Amino acid sequence: MSDLTNADNQHEPRLITETGLDQRLADIIEPVIVDIGFRLIRVRMLNQNGMTMQVMAEKNDGTMTVEDCEQVSMAISPVLDVEDPVDKEYHLEVSSPGIDRPLVRKSDFVRWQGHLVKCETSIMIGNRKRFRGKIVEADADGFTIERDQIAYGEEQKVVIPFTALSDAKLILTDDLIRDALRADKLAKAQAANQNEASGDEE
């Protein structure tokens, strides 16, 4: 599994972004969390527990601990207080994207190749806007899925251009859980090695 999620593409833009108030929130939050080494996945204002601002983020290596969530929360709270984009009281909830995560950057499709995805497009592709299948290939322009449910006369493989994508999310499977846990373990081991190496240099 080739992994493009490294510090080199920290500023890789998201393909799928918010609209309206959520977009304003993302514009406020994103620069703040990029400065402290995180990437924004998604911001949503939800009508639950009164109002909840849900911020999904992760480190460049794809990890996100409880401590990381607290760090992001502490970094964005004062900025949100100053900007005051929401005129009602709300709860701030910072979380990791989870295992069945939204895919919002080109590198996400490379990283999770071989896994099932559910996606929607803004235009018709072969008489459809909704697709479900395994990501079999991804390049700079789009990705190919091999559908697990096809109607008579439909092609099993579909190429979806990134420009047509409006939503994409991994589907929870045993393989995905296994690979996500393995990737998380590997990233944590690499982070620990880097910390030891920087400690040796002092």
Side-chain angles (χ1 to χ4, degrees), residues 2-201:
S2 59
D3 190 0
L4 294 183
T5 50
N6 54 36
D8 297 341
N9 67 350
Q10 179 176 356
H11 302 293
E12 181 190 352
R14 292 179 301 148
L15 300 163
I16 298 166
T17 54
E18 297 77 8
T19 55
L21 174 61
D22 293 345
Q23 184 182 2
R24 171 137 168 68
L25 297 172
D27 291 344
I28 294 167
I29 292 165
E30 194 157 21
V32 177
I33 71 169
V34 165
D35 275 354
I36 57 170
F38 293 89
R39 301 202 301 178
L40 182 65
I41 307 299
R42 187 170 76 193
V43 181
R44 273 201 183 150
M45 209 66 203
L46 306 168
N47 286 321
Q48 60 188 44
N49 303 334
M51 298 264 288
T52 300
M53 185 189 301
Q54 185 192 67
V55 178
M56 276 187 193
E58 67 184 355
K59 282 185 172 162
N60 296 321
D61 62 10
T63 61
M64 192 71 176
T65 64
V66 172
E67 292 75 22
D68 293 335
C69 291
E70 286 170 7
Q71 188 186 348
V72 167
S73 184
M74 285 166 68
I76 62 178
S77 288
V79 186
L80 288 167
D81 287 346
V82 170
E83 295 282 343
D84 200 19
V86 184
D87 58 4
K88 298 186 181 81
E89 276 199 25
Y90 63 88
H91 306 278
L92 176 61
E93 182 186 283
V94 177
S95 70
S96 77
I99 293 177
D100 52 345
R101 54 172 299 142
L103 302 180
V104 296
R105 289 179 172 86
K106 291 179 181 181
S107 58
D108 292 343
F109 291 86
V110 174
R111 185 172 182 214
W112 298 106
Q113 215 162 293
H115 289 286
L116 274 179
V117 67
K118 200 165 48 173
C119 57
E120 283 186 42
T121 55
S122 54
I123 56 168
M124 289 286 202
I125 297 175
N127 297 326
R128 272 177 179 257
K129 281 189 168 186
R130 289 187 174 168
F131 301 90
R132 179 193 144 114
K134 189 185 286 187
I135 304 168
V136 290
E137 210 179 321
D139 59 27
D141 300 317
F143 61 101
T144 304
I145 64 168
E146 197 171 84
R147 292 192 276 183
D148 60 352
Q149 304 159 334
I150 52 170
Y152 179 75
E154 288 185 326
E155 294 288 324
Q156 185 154 20
K157 284 189 178 176
V158 183
V159 177
I160 298 174
F162 286 129
T163 51
L165 193 65
S166 62
D167 196 27
K169 189 176 193 260
L170 286 175
I171 295 171
L172 204 56
T173 62
D174 289 344
D175 286 348
L176 177 61
I177 293 168
R178 190 193 60 235
D179 283 1
L181 292 174
R182 189 185 296 147
D184 192 50
K185 200 172 174 180
L186 188 68
K188 284 179 177 157
Q190 286 172 340
N193 290 343
Q194 281 172 344
N195 289 344
E196 280 173 27
S198 60
D200 293 344
E201 287 163 17

